[in-house]
Amino acid sequence: MQDDIPTVSLPSGVDVSALGLGTWMMGEEAHNEADEIASIRKAIDVGMTLIDTAEMYADGKSEQVVGKAIAGRRDDVFLVSKVYPWNADAKGTISACDRSLERLGTDYIDLYLLHWRGPHALRETVAAFETLKQQGKIGAWGVSNFDTADMEELFSVPNGELCAANQVLYNLSRRGPEFDLLPWCQKHHVPLMAYSPIEQGRILRNHELIRIAKAYQATPAQIALAFLLERDGVIAIPKSSHPHRVEENRGAADLDISEEDWTALDAAFPPPSRKVPLEML
Ligand code: NDP
């Protein structure tokens, strides 16, 4: 029997799966497309229904792969995409979104993010996002790679407090956000979406992670994801182009880690004791 995947509530009240699927690097090589589509469909089948992409990924080809995978199943998916910072002015945001919709083969994106801070004033980007919402092209908007001071600034512009998520680098080996950004987001009810949740595979060789995983007959990736699922208001979006790994990652929701092992993980991957500037990949 599998446990349900936890959900996280967006400010609008919509509940989304706290475990989704990333798609960076998908669409790069045509010969991988069948596996990529199978992985996205597997994610939907096992309840990892939040699918994250961006106009940047493979120059739009990731969005095309996602579009093929979700064809006929659009309503089962919570779709996230992102606009390049240099496109995020009043007109550019609207045209970038239209191009993404075309590639995704849909008429709405559930959550549309500013990929990182760029040359355009936040108030202009927010106004464009609000226009997209009124047009029904997006359900909600958010940001990515915003540190605490960026969030404060965002909340000071008109409608900035309508931000529905902040997607940042957060995993066992990058716990900096726990010092101030995560508490800030929790206080303001802005879900934190953890990207590179298994550090692109690099943390999986950690001896302590391997030891703890063995004790639960689990894998290091599952423990790393369980660590994120344990936190309020955190969504993890591991990427895999292999359906069996997607299934493995979904198993993270079934783990029940003891206090003793959380403490052991804290010793191996210490939480921050002071402000650490937000890192980016
Ligand atoms: P992840 O931490 O998700 O790691 C992905 C890598 O780990 C891939 O090489 C994958 O290989 C491998 N992998 C996945 N599952 C397993 C497993 N169970 N065991 C062993 N290896 C595994 O890194 P990403 O950087 O891809 O981050 C996830 C998503 O976050 C991205 O895809 C993207 O959607 C988003 N992102 C957003 C950023 C932003 O600036 N907003 C920046 C970076 C990422 P394989 O595919 O071969 O299985």
Tab-separated table of all heavy atoms in Angstrom, residues 21-26 39 51-54 56-57 62 82 113-116 143-145 167-169 171 193-204 219-222 225 236-246 248-249 280-281, ligand 1:
chain	number	residue	atom	x	y	z
A	21	LEU	N	7.751	16.709	-11.206
A	21	LEU	CA	8.803	16.238	-12.114
A	21	LEU	C	9.445	17.436	-12.801
A	21	LEU	O	8.746	18.290	-13.359
A	21	LEU	CB	8.193	15.308	-13.181
A	21	LEU	CG	9.204	14.688	-14.141
A	21	LEU	CD1	9.943	13.514	-13.470
A	21	LEU	CD2	8.533	14.199	-15.423
A	22	GLY	N	10.779	17.493	-12.773
A	22	GLY	CA	11.520	18.499	-13.525
A	22	GLY	C	11.790	18.007	-14.941
A	22	GLY	O	11.750	16.797	-15.198
A	23	THR	N	12.066	18.931	-15.853
A	23	THR	CA	12.299	18.515	-17.250
A	23	THR	C	13.494	19.220	-17.885
A	23	THR	O	13.596	19.260	-19.118
A	23	THR	CB	11.043	18.772	-18.112
A	23	THR	OG1	10.831	20.200	-18.187
A	23	THR	CG2	9.806	18.096	-17.560
A	24	TRP	N	14.364	19.796	-17.062
A	24	TRP	CA	15.569	20.420	-17.624
A	24	TRP	C	16.387	19.319	-18.287
A	24	TRP	O	16.558	18.251	-17.691
A	24	TRP	CB	16.372	21.103	-16.507
A	24	TRP	CG	17.482	21.982	-16.993
A	24	TRP	CD1	17.665	22.469	-18.249
A	24	TRP	CD2	18.574	22.494	-16.210
A	24	TRP	NE1	18.785	23.268	-18.299
A	24	TRP	CE2	19.362	23.292	-17.063
A	24	TRP	CE3	18.946	22.356	-14.867
A	24	TRP	CZ2	20.513	23.945	-16.630
A	24	TRP	CZ3	20.086	23.014	-14.430
A	24	TRP	CH2	20.865	23.799	-15.302
A	25	MET	N	16.915	19.561	-19.469
A	25	MET	CA	17.679	18.611	-20.289
A	25	MET	C	16.776	17.718	-21.153
A	25	MET	O	17.258	17.047	-22.050
A	25	MET	CB	18.624	17.701	-19.484
A	25	MET	CG	19.606	18.425	-18.575
A	25	MET	SD	20.530	19.724	-19.408
A	25	MET	CE	21.706	18.742	-20.334
A	26	MET	N	15.489	17.704	-20.874
A	26	MET	CA	14.612	16.966	-21.798
A	26	MET	C	14.501	17.773	-23.092
A	26	MET	O	14.569	19.004	-23.067
A	26	MET	CB	13.221	16.753	-21.188
A	26	MET	CG	13.203	15.746	-20.052
A	26	MET	SD	11.513	15.243	-19.659
A	26	MET	CE	11.763	14.346	-18.121
A	39	SER	N	8.508	8.970	-19.145
A	39	SER	CA	8.762	9.405	-17.763
A	39	SER	C	7.714	10.409	-17.298
A	39	SER	O	7.243	10.350	-16.167
A	39	SER	CB	10.147	10.048	-17.645
A	39	SER	OG	11.120	9.090	-17.903
A	51	ILE	N	4.284	19.298	-13.255
A	51	ILE	CA	5.361	19.156	-14.245
A	51	ILE	C	5.984	20.536	-14.472
A	51	ILE	O	5.284	21.486	-14.827
A	51	ILE	CB	4.824	18.607	-15.599
A	51	ILE	CG1	3.955	17.351	-15.397
A	51	ILE	CG2	5.981	18.338	-16.565
A	51	ILE	CD1	4.650	16.134	-14.882
A	52	ASP	N	7.313	20.599	-14.278
A	52	ASP	CA	8.025	21.879	-14.370
A	52	ASP	C	8.858	21.959	-15.645
A	52	ASP	O	9.659	21.075	-15.932
A	52	ASP	CB	8.971	22.014	-13.165
A	52	ASP	CG	9.754	23.322	-13.208
A	52	ASP	OD1	9.165	24.363	-12.854
A	52	ASP	OD2	10.941	23.305	-13.608
A	53	THR	N	8.660	23.041	-16.414
A	53	THR	CA	9.482	23.246	-17.602
A	53	THR	C	9.805	24.742	-17.714
A	53	THR	O	9.571	25.505	-16.791
A	53	THR	CB	8.790	22.659	-18.868
A	53	THR	OG1	9.645	22.810	-19.994
A	53	THR	CG2	7.436	23.306	-19.149
A	54	ALA	N	10.372	25.160	-18.851
A	54	ALA	CA	10.733	26.571	-19.044
A	54	ALA	C	11.001	26.803	-20.522
A	54	ALA	O	11.411	25.876	-21.232
A	54	ALA	CB	11.995	26.909	-18.240
A	56	MET	N	13.403	28.254	-21.571
A	56	MET	CA	14.844	28.084	-21.733
A	56	MET	C	15.256	26.646	-22.078
A	56	MET	O	16.194	26.435	-22.835
A	56	MET	CB	15.534	28.490	-20.420
A	56	MET	CG	17.029	28.350	-20.435
A	56	MET	SD	17.737	28.695	-18.795
A	56	MET	CE	18.468	27.119	-18.416
A	57	TYR	N	14.568	25.676	-21.485
A	57	TYR	CA	15.041	24.291	-21.575
A	57	TYR	C	15.029	23.792	-23.021
A	57	TYR	O	13.980	23.739	-23.664
A	57	TYR	CB	14.214	23.367	-20.670
A	57	TYR	CG	14.243	23.764	-19.197
A	57	TYR	CD1	13.292	23.303	-18.313
A	57	TYR	CD2	15.232	24.607	-18.694
A	57	TYR	CE1	13.317	23.669	-16.959
A	57	TYR	CE2	15.264	24.977	-17.359
A	57	TYR	CZ	14.311	24.519	-16.496
A	57	TYR	OH	14.332	24.883	-15.179
A	62	SER	N	11.943	21.274	-24.615
A	62	SER	CA	11.427	20.607	-23.409
A	62	SER	C	9.911	20.830	-23.329
A	62	SER	O	9.147	19.898	-23.055
A	62	SER	CB	12.129	21.158	-22.156
A	62	SER	OG	11.435	20.790	-20.992
A	82	LYS	N	8.327	28.849	-17.323
A	82	LYS	CA	9.050	30.061	-16.885
A	82	LYS	C	9.418	30.942	-18.069
A	82	LYS	O	9.714	30.439	-19.154
A	82	LYS	CB	10.350	29.675	-16.163
A	82	LYS	CG	10.174	28.617	-15.111
A	82	LYS	CD	11.464	28.296	-14.384
A	82	LYS	CE	11.354	26.953	-13.694
A	82	LYS	NZ	11.589	25.802	-14.574
A	113	LEU	N	6.423	31.348	-14.026
A	113	LEU	CA	7.445	31.941	-13.156
A	113	LEU	C	8.416	32.838	-13.918
A	113	LEU	O	8.768	32.548	-15.070
A	113	LEU	CB	8.276	30.821	-12.492
A	113	LEU	CG	7.537	29.695	-11.772
A	113	LEU	CD1	8.544	28.665	-11.227
A	113	LEU	CD2	6.683	30.241	-10.642
A	114	LEU	N	8.873	33.884	-13.227
A	114	LEU	CA	10.024	34.655	-13.727
A	114	LEU	C	11.261	33.828	-13.373
A	114	LEU	O	11.525	33.561	-12.197
A	114	LEU	CB	10.061	36.024	-13.032
A	114	LEU	CG	11.311	36.876	-13.308
A	114	LEU	CD1	11.431	37.231	-14.788
A	114	LEU	CD2	11.291	38.155	-12.456
A	115	HIS	N	12.032	33.405	-14.380
A	115	HIS	CA	13.089	32.401	-14.163
A	115	HIS	C	14.180	32.890	-13.192
A	115	HIS	O	14.686	32.142	-12.385
A	115	HIS	CB	13.686	31.990	-15.510
A	115	HIS	CG	14.211	30.594	-15.542
A	115	HIS	ND1	14.180	29.797	-16.648
A	115	HIS	CD2	14.798	29.838	-14.588
A	115	HIS	CE1	14.720	28.618	-16.369
A	115	HIS	NE2	15.106	28.626	-15.134
A	116	TRP	N	14.595	34.110	-13.325
A	116	TRP	CA	15.466	34.746	-12.345
A	116	TRP	C	15.369	36.256	-12.574
A	116	TRP	O	14.761	36.686	-13.547
A	116	TRP	CB	16.927	34.238	-12.426
A	116	TRP	CG	17.668	34.483	-13.709
A	116	TRP	CD1	18.427	35.561	-14.032
A	116	TRP	CD2	17.730	33.602	-14.865
A	116	TRP	NE1	18.948	35.419	-15.314
A	116	TRP	CE2	18.544	34.229	-15.832
A	116	TRP	CE3	17.168	32.350	-15.175
A	116	TRP	CZ2	18.810	33.655	-17.086
A	116	TRP	CZ3	17.437	31.772	-16.421
A	116	TRP	CH2	18.256	32.426	-17.353
A	143	VAL	N	7.908	33.336	-8.920
A	143	VAL	CA	9.277	33.733	-9.245
A	143	VAL	C	10.212	32.551	-9.022
A	143	VAL	O	9.801	31.512	-8.503
A	143	VAL	CB	9.725	34.942	-8.392
A	143	VAL	CG1	8.934	36.189	-8.744
A	143	VAL	CG2	9.613	34.629	-6.901
A	144	SER	N	11.461	32.749	-9.385
A	144	SER	CA	12.465	31.710	-9.189
A	144	SER	C	13.796	32.381	-8.891
A	144	SER	O	14.076	33.473	-9.416
A	144	SER	CB	12.554	30.854	-10.469
A	144	SER	OG	13.559	29.889	-10.343
A	145	ASN	N	14.588	31.736	-8.053
A	145	ASN	CA	15.909	32.252	-7.665
A	145	ASN	C	15.814	33.609	-6.950
A	145	ASN	O	16.695	34.454	-7.106
A	145	ASN	CB	16.835	32.335	-8.894
A	145	ASN	CG	17.091	30.969	-9.498
A	145	ASN	OD1	17.662	30.105	-8.848
A	145	ASN	ND2	16.657	30.756	-10.731
A	167	GLN	N	10.721	29.328	-6.755
A	167	GLN	CA	11.464	28.097	-7.062
A	167	GLN	C	12.952	28.360	-6.874
A	167	GLN	O	13.509	29.237	-7.543
A	167	GLN	CB	11.160	27.657	-8.495
A	167	GLN	CG	11.787	26.329	-8.844
A	167	GLN	CD	11.476	25.863	-10.255
A	167	GLN	OE1	12.352	25.774	-11.102
A	167	GLN	NE2	10.221	25.566	-10.523
A	168	VAL	N	13.582	27.620	-5.966
A	168	VAL	CA	14.995	27.883	-5.642
A	168	VAL	C	15.780	26.583	-5.476
A	168	VAL	O	15.199	25.509	-5.289
A	168	VAL	CB	15.130	28.702	-4.324
A	168	VAL	CG1	14.446	30.054	-4.446
A	168	VAL	CG2	14.593	27.930	-3.134
A	169	LEU	N	17.104	26.742	-5.494
A	169	LEU	CA	17.995	25.602	-5.252
A	169	LEU	C	17.941	25.247	-3.766
A	169	LEU	O	18.333	26.054	-2.914
A	169	LEU	CB	19.424	25.995	-5.653
A	169	LEU	CG	20.517	24.949	-5.417
A	169	LEU	CD1	20.229	23.656	-6.179
A	169	LEU	CD2	21.881	25.503	-5.836
A	171	ASN	N	18.316	21.616	-1.321
A	171	ASN	CA	18.407	20.171	-1.084
A	171	ASN	C	19.297	19.943	0.137
A	171	ASN	O	19.800	20.915	0.725
A	171	ASN	CB	18.913	19.434	-2.338
A	171	ASN	CG	20.323	19.837	-2.735
A	171	ASN	OD1	21.237	19.886	-1.902
A	171	ASN	ND2	20.532	20.145	-4.017
A	193	MET	N	9.516	25.975	-4.023
A	193	MET	CA	9.690	24.822	-4.894
A	193	MET	C	11.185	24.519	-4.955
A	193	MET	O	11.966	25.376	-5.394
A	193	MET	CB	9.148	25.184	-6.276
A	193	MET	CG	8.616	24.020	-7.050
A	193	MET	SD	7.965	24.577	-8.631
A	193	MET	CE	6.367	25.153	-8.168
A	194	ALA	N	11.585	23.338	-4.497
A	194	ALA	CA	13.001	22.991	-4.404
A	194	ALA	C	13.491	22.397	-5.722
A	194	ALA	O	13.066	21.300	-6.105
A	194	ALA	CB	13.218	21.993	-3.274
A	195	TYR	N	14.367	23.150	-6.405
A	195	TYR	CA	14.914	22.568	-7.645
A	195	TYR	C	16.238	21.872	-7.362
A	195	TYR	O	16.827	22.048	-6.299
A	195	TYR	CB	14.984	23.587	-8.779
A	195	TYR	CG	16.042	24.679	-8.779
A	195	TYR	CD1	17.400	24.402	-8.918
A	195	TYR	CD2	15.653	26.018	-8.748
A	195	TYR	CE1	18.345	25.415	-8.988
A	195	TYR	CE2	16.588	27.048	-8.812
A	195	TYR	CZ	17.937	26.734	-8.932
A	195	TYR	OH	18.867	27.732	-9.012
A	196	SER	N	16.650	21.021	-8.302
A	196	SER	CA	17.816	20.134	-8.109
A	196	SER	C	17.746	19.459	-6.729
A	196	SER	O	18.698	19.512	-5.950
A	196	SER	CB	19.132	20.910	-8.275
A	196	SER	OG	19.152	21.624	-9.493
A	197	PRO	N	16.612	18.819	-6.424
A	197	PRO	CA	16.389	18.291	-5.064
A	197	PRO	C	17.325	17.147	-4.691
A	197	PRO	O	17.485	16.862	-3.508
A	197	PRO	CB	14.929	17.828	-5.093
A	197	PRO	CG	14.663	17.530	-6.531
A	197	PRO	CD	15.457	18.539	-7.305
A	198	ILE	N	17.939	16.502	-5.709
A	198	ILE	CA	18.954	15.489	-5.372
A	198	ILE	C	20.332	15.976	-5.850
A	198	ILE	O	21.224	15.173	-6.096
A	198	ILE	CB	18.605	14.085	-5.920
A	198	ILE	CG1	18.435	14.081	-7.441
A	198	ILE	CG2	17.332	13.556	-5.260
A	198	ILE	CD1	18.352	12.684	-8.038
A	199	GLU	N	20.461	17.308	-5.962
A	199	GLU	CA	21.744	17.929	-6.342
A	199	GLU	C	22.275	17.291	-7.640
A	199	GLU	O	23.441	16.982	-7.774
A	199	GLU	CB	22.745	17.817	-5.177
A	199	GLU	CG	24.090	18.518	-5.330
A	199	GLU	CD	24.029	20.034	-5.507
A	199	GLU	OE1	23.025	20.651	-5.130
A	199	GLU	OE2	25.017	20.573	-6.034
A	200	GLN	N	21.362	17.085	-8.580
A	200	GLN	CA	21.684	16.501	-9.891
A	200	GLN	C	22.428	15.174	-9.749
A	200	GLN	O	23.247	14.819	-10.590
A	200	GLN	CB	22.468	17.520	-10.739
A	200	GLN	CG	21.660	18.811	-10.934
A	200	GLN	CD	22.304	19.852	-11.800
A	200	GLN	OE1	23.531	19.946	-11.808
A	200	GLN	NE2	21.506	20.636	-12.497
A	201	GLY	N	22.148	14.483	-8.681
A	201	GLY	CA	22.731	13.151	-8.470
A	201	GLY	C	23.991	13.161	-7.619
A	201	GLY	O	24.430	12.114	-7.134
A	202	ARG	N	24.571	14.345	-7.405
A	202	ARG	CA	25.881	14.392	-6.734
A	202	ARG	C	25.839	13.954	-5.270
A	202	ARG	O	26.814	13.416	-4.771
A	202	ARG	CB	26.487	15.804	-6.837
A	202	ARG	CG	26.951	16.155	-8.236
A	202	ARG	CD	27.600	17.528	-8.280
A	202	ARG	NE	26.639	18.589	-8.111
A	202	ARG	CZ	25.930	19.142	-9.111
A	202	ARG	NH1	26.121	18.736	-10.348
A	202	ARG	NH2	25.065	20.112	-8.870
A	203	ILE	N	24.704	14.172	-4.591
A	203	ILE	CA	24.710	13.791	-3.161
A	203	ILE	C	24.455	12.302	-2.946
A	203	ILE	O	24.575	11.815	-1.836
A	203	ILE	CB	23.680	14.587	-2.309
A	203	ILE	CG1	22.282	14.523	-2.904
A	203	ILE	CG2	24.124	16.010	-2.081
A	203	ILE	CD1	21.235	15.159	-1.983
A	204	LEU	N	24.115	11.611	-4.017
A	204	LEU	CA	23.695	10.215	-3.832
A	204	LEU	C	24.844	9.304	-3.418
A	204	LEU	O	24.633	8.171	-2.997
A	204	LEU	CB	23.024	9.691	-5.113
A	204	LEU	CG	21.852	10.550	-5.616
A	204	LEU	CD1	21.232	9.940	-6.853
A	204	LEU	CD2	20.802	10.741	-4.522
A	219	THR	N	16.401	4.052	-1.245
A	219	THR	CA	17.575	4.510	-2.001
A	219	THR	C	17.957	5.916	-1.496
A	219	THR	O	17.112	6.631	-0.935
A	219	THR	CB	17.271	4.579	-3.512
A	219	THR	OG1	16.263	5.575	-3.731
A	219	THR	CG2	16.799	3.234	-4.054
A	220	PRO	N	19.211	6.323	-1.715
A	220	PRO	CA	19.620	7.661	-1.286
A	220	PRO	C	18.736	8.758	-1.872
A	220	PRO	O	18.406	9.729	-1.185
A	220	PRO	CB	21.063	7.760	-1.811
A	220	PRO	CG	21.543	6.344	-1.866
A	220	PRO	CD	20.340	5.532	-2.263
A	221	ALA	N	18.297	8.593	-3.116
A	221	ALA	CA	17.435	9.621	-3.734
A	221	ALA	C	16.126	9.728	-2.958
A	221	ALA	O	15.615	10.836	-2.708
A	221	ALA	CB	17.155	9.278	-5.200
A	222	GLN	N	15.590	8.596	-2.542
A	222	GLN	CA	14.320	8.629	-1.795
A	222	GLN	C	14.483	9.352	-0.458
A	222	GLN	O	13.608	10.116	-0.048
A	222	GLN	CB	13.814	7.202	-1.567
A	222	GLN	CG	13.308	6.549	-2.849
A	222	GLN	CD	12.936	5.090	-2.646
A	222	GLN	OE1	13.539	4.379	-1.833
A	222	GLN	NE2	11.949	4.628	-3.390
A	225	LEU	N	14.729	13.104	-1.033
A	225	LEU	CA	13.421	13.690	-1.355
A	225	LEU	C	12.508	13.697	-0.129
A	225	LEU	O	11.763	14.664	0.103
A	225	LEU	CB	12.767	12.928	-2.517
A	225	LEU	CG	13.515	13.057	-3.858
A	225	LEU	CD1	12.941	12.090	-4.893
A	225	LEU	CD2	13.446	14.492	-4.381
A	236	ALA	N	9.052	19.433	-4.155
A	236	ALA	CA	10.314	18.980	-4.776
A	236	ALA	C	10.039	18.525	-6.201
A	236	ALA	O	9.028	17.865	-6.462
A	236	ALA	CB	10.909	17.840	-3.960
A	237	ILE	N	10.943	18.881	-7.114
A	237	ILE	CA	10.706	18.554	-8.528
A	237	ILE	C	11.903	17.807	-9.143
A	237	ILE	O	12.564	18.312	-10.042
A	237	ILE	CB	10.374	19.825	-9.344
A	237	ILE	CG1	11.372	20.984	-9.060
A	237	ILE	CG2	8.943	20.287	-9.072
A	237	ILE	CD1	11.241	22.149	-10.050
A	238	PRO	N	12.175	16.576	-8.669
A	238	PRO	CA	13.285	15.812	-9.253
A	238	PRO	C	13.037	15.531	-10.730
A	238	PRO	O	11.894	15.262	-11.121
A	238	PRO	CB	13.273	14.506	-8.450
A	238	PRO	CG	11.849	14.357	-7.990
A	238	PRO	CD	11.384	15.767	-7.730
A	239	LYS	N	14.101	15.607	-11.507
A	239	LYS	CA	13.989	15.272	-12.938
A	239	LYS	C	14.513	13.858	-13.182
A	239	LYS	O	15.577	13.490	-12.666
A	239	LYS	CB	14.813	16.272	-13.757
A	239	LYS	CG	14.867	15.975	-15.253
A	239	LYS	CD	16.127	15.241	-15.655
A	239	LYS	CE	16.126	14.835	-17.107
A	239	LYS	NZ	17.303	13.979	-17.440
A	240	SER	N	13.801	13.092	-13.944
A	240	SER	CA	14.383	11.858	-14.468
A	240	SER	C	13.758	11.545	-15.811
A	240	SER	O	12.562	11.728	-16.006
A	240	SER	CB	14.181	10.664	-13.531
A	240	SER	OG	14.756	9.521	-14.146
A	241	SER	N	14.581	11.051	-16.709
A	241	SER	CA	14.105	10.633	-18.026
A	241	SER	C	13.947	9.116	-18.069
A	241	SER	O	13.871	8.533	-19.150
A	241	SER	CB	15.085	11.065	-19.120
A	241	SER	OG	15.216	12.468	-19.106
A	242	HIS	N	13.929	8.497	-16.879
A	242	HIS	CA	13.748	7.045	-16.809
A	242	HIS	C	12.521	6.724	-15.946
A	242	HIS	O	12.524	7.014	-14.750
A	242	HIS	CB	14.996	6.382	-16.212
A	242	HIS	CG	16.205	6.546	-17.073
A	242	HIS	ND1	17.129	7.549	-16.884
A	242	HIS	CD2	16.609	5.848	-18.156
A	242	HIS	CE1	18.063	7.458	-17.823
A	242	HIS	NE2	17.776	6.434	-18.597
A	243	PRO	N	11.492	6.116	-16.555
A	243	PRO	CA	10.265	5.828	-15.800
A	243	PRO	C	10.528	5.066	-14.501
A	243	PRO	O	9.887	5.338	-13.485
A	243	PRO	CB	9.433	4.994	-16.782
A	243	PRO	CG	9.921	5.406	-18.130
A	243	PRO	CD	11.377	5.731	-17.976
A	244	HIS	N	11.492	4.125	-14.496
A	244	HIS	CA	11.707	3.356	-13.257
A	244	HIS	C	12.266	4.247	-12.151
A	244	HIS	O	11.983	4.044	-10.970
A	244	HIS	CB	12.610	2.134	-13.496
A	244	HIS	CG	14.053	2.461	-13.731
A	244	HIS	ND1	14.553	2.800	-14.968
A	244	HIS	CD2	15.107	2.505	-12.872
A	244	HIS	CE1	15.854	3.043	-14.855
A	244	HIS	NE2	16.219	2.866	-13.599
A	245	ARG	N	13.024	5.281	-12.526
A	245	ARG	CA	13.528	6.207	-11.506
A	245	ARG	C	12.429	7.148	-11.016
A	245	ARG	O	12.412	7.544	-9.855
A	245	ARG	CB	14.693	7.029	-12.054
A	245	ARG	CG	15.997	6.264	-12.044
A	245	ARG	CD	17.111	7.198	-12.464
A	245	ARG	NE	18.398	6.583	-12.341
A	245	ARG	CZ	19.497	7.069	-12.917
A	245	ARG	NH1	19.418	8.168	-13.638
A	245	ARG	NH2	20.647	6.454	-12.761
A	246	VAL	N	11.523	7.505	-11.926
A	246	VAL	CA	10.384	8.335	-11.512
A	246	VAL	C	9.602	7.578	-10.440
A	246	VAL	O	9.248	8.118	-9.391
A	246	VAL	CB	9.480	8.676	-12.723
A	246	VAL	CG1	8.205	9.380	-12.261
A	246	VAL	CG2	10.236	9.543	-13.730
A	248	GLU	N	10.738	5.197	-8.553
A	248	GLU	CA	11.588	5.142	-7.348
A	248	GLU	C	11.434	6.449	-6.543
A	248	GLU	O	11.228	6.416	-5.329
A	248	GLU	CB	13.055	4.959	-7.770
A	248	GLU	CG	14.051	5.052	-6.622
A	248	GLU	CD	15.503	5.099	-7.106
A	248	GLU	OE1	15.818	4.505	-8.168
A	248	GLU	OE2	16.324	5.737	-6.426
A	249	ASN	N	11.509	7.573	-7.237
A	249	ASN	CA	11.425	8.868	-6.543
A	249	ASN	C	10.069	9.052	-5.862
A	249	ASN	O	9.980	9.603	-4.774
A	249	ASN	CB	11.714	10.008	-7.525
A	249	ASN	CG	13.163	9.976	-8.014
A	249	ASN	OD1	14.017	9.331	-7.394
A	249	ASN	ND2	13.446	10.651	-9.122
A	280	MET	N	22.580	29.371	-6.896
A	280	MET	CA	21.844	29.155	-8.149
A	280	MET	C	22.584	28.142	-8.990
A	280	MET	O	23.806	28.105	-8.940
A	280	MET	CB	21.865	30.479	-8.926
A	280	MET	CG	20.548	31.012	-9.346
A	280	MET	SD	20.788	32.564	-10.239
A	280	MET	CE	19.987	32.149	-11.780
A	281	LEU	N	21.874	27.324	-9.742
A	281	LEU	CA	22.555	26.444	-10.690
A	281	LEU	C	22.187	26.893	-12.095
A	281	LEU	O	21.094	27.373	-12.320
A	281	LEU	CB	22.103	24.998	-10.513
A	281	LEU	CG	22.717	24.187	-9.360
A	281	LEU	CD1	22.213	22.762	-9.419
A	281	LEU	CD2	24.241	24.206	-9.426
B	1	NDP	P1	17.830	16.859	-9.959
B	1	NDP	O1	18.386	17.059	-8.581
B	1	NDP	O2	16.393	16.645	-10.124
B	1	NDP	O3	18.646	15.645	-10.583
B	1	NDP	C1	18.428	15.187	-11.893
B	1	NDP	C2	19.513	14.173	-12.233
B	1	NDP	O4	19.460	13.071	-11.327
B	1	NDP	C3	19.364	13.608	-13.622
B	1	NDP	O5	20.668	13.424	-14.143
B	1	NDP	C4	18.688	12.249	-13.395
B	1	NDP	O6	19.125	11.361	-14.374
B	1	NDP	C5	19.220	11.861	-12.036
B	1	NDP	N1	18.247	11.088	-11.230
B	1	NDP	C6	16.932	11.334	-11.039
B	1	NDP	N2	16.394	10.454	-10.201
B	1	NDP	C7	17.392	9.604	-9.833
B	1	NDP	C8	17.466	8.469	-8.974
B	1	NDP	N3	16.396	8.041	-8.332
B	1	NDP	N4	18.671	7.851	-8.847
B	1	NDP	C9	19.758	8.301	-9.500
B	1	NDP	N5	19.755	9.365	-10.317
B	1	NDP	C10	18.587	10.024	-10.483
B	1	NDP	O7	18.372	18.092	-10.821
B	1	NDP	P2	17.754	19.140	-11.848
B	1	NDP	O8	18.779	20.205	-11.962
B	1	NDP	O9	17.247	18.511	-13.054
B	1	NDP	O10	16.533	19.798	-11.030
B	1	NDP	C11	15.199	19.339	-11.120
B	1	NDP	C12	14.345	20.307	-11.917
B	1	NDP	O11	14.302	21.595	-11.316
B	1	NDP	C13	14.884	20.605	-13.327
B	1	NDP	O12	14.714	19.516	-14.195
B	1	NDP	C14	14.111	21.836	-13.657
B	1	NDP	O13	12.789	21.511	-14.015
B	1	NDP	C15	14.173	22.590	-12.328
B	1	NDP	N6	15.317	23.520	-12.233
B	1	NDP	C16	15.042	24.869	-12.124
B	1	NDP	C17	16.062	25.795	-12.054
B	1	NDP	C18	15.716	27.245	-11.947
B	1	NDP	O14	16.610	28.096	-12.093
B	1	NDP	N7	14.474	27.586	-11.702
B	1	NDP	C19	17.482	25.404	-12.081
B	1	NDP	C20	17.676	23.961	-12.108
B	1	NDP	C21	16.612	23.076	-12.177
B	1	NDP	P3	18.121	10.613	-15.414
B	1	NDP	O15	17.271	11.663	-16.038
B	1	NDP	O16	19.067	9.951	-16.361
B	1	NDP	O17	17.331	9.642	-14.579
